[in-house]
Amino acid sequence: GDVEARMVMGGLSFGAVMGDLALREVGALAIGSLEGDLSLRTGNGPVSAGQVEGDVSIRDVQGDVSLQMVESDLYVRGVSGR
């Protein structure tokens, strides 16, 4: 199902998510695979994802962003990292 998280300053790690992932004000993020859309706003730490089968929107992240494969639309804004 879908996952929503807000104001989690520790790191988050997901092996596989079978739905949408909506995150606001989180620390480091690692995703193995996601069968849905990813929405991340205001992150503080590195972001990595293996395979995302939906849209990806990443905004206002302080850290490196690494996405292996995005199968749909990608929107990135306000990232201070690589």
Side-chain angles (χ1 to χ4, degrees), residues 8-71:
V8 179
M9 291 301 110
L12 294 172
S13 179
F14 300 94
V17 177
M18 310 288 238
D20 296 336
L21 187 55
L23 306 170
R24 305 285 182 267
E25 299 179 43
V26 298
L29 174 63
I31 304 166
S33 65
L34 175 61
E35 293 185 15
D37 297 334
L38 169 62
S39 173
L40 171 60
R41 178 185 271 173
T42 313
N44 188 18
V47 175
S48 66
Q51 178 177 359
V52 180
E53 295 184 10
D55 297 334
V56 174
S57 175
I58 297 175
R59 254 177 98 171
D60 303 325
V61 171
Q62 306 251 337
D64 294 343
V65 174
S66 172
L67 306 171
Q68 280 187 339
M69 183 167 57
V70 176
E71 294 185 10

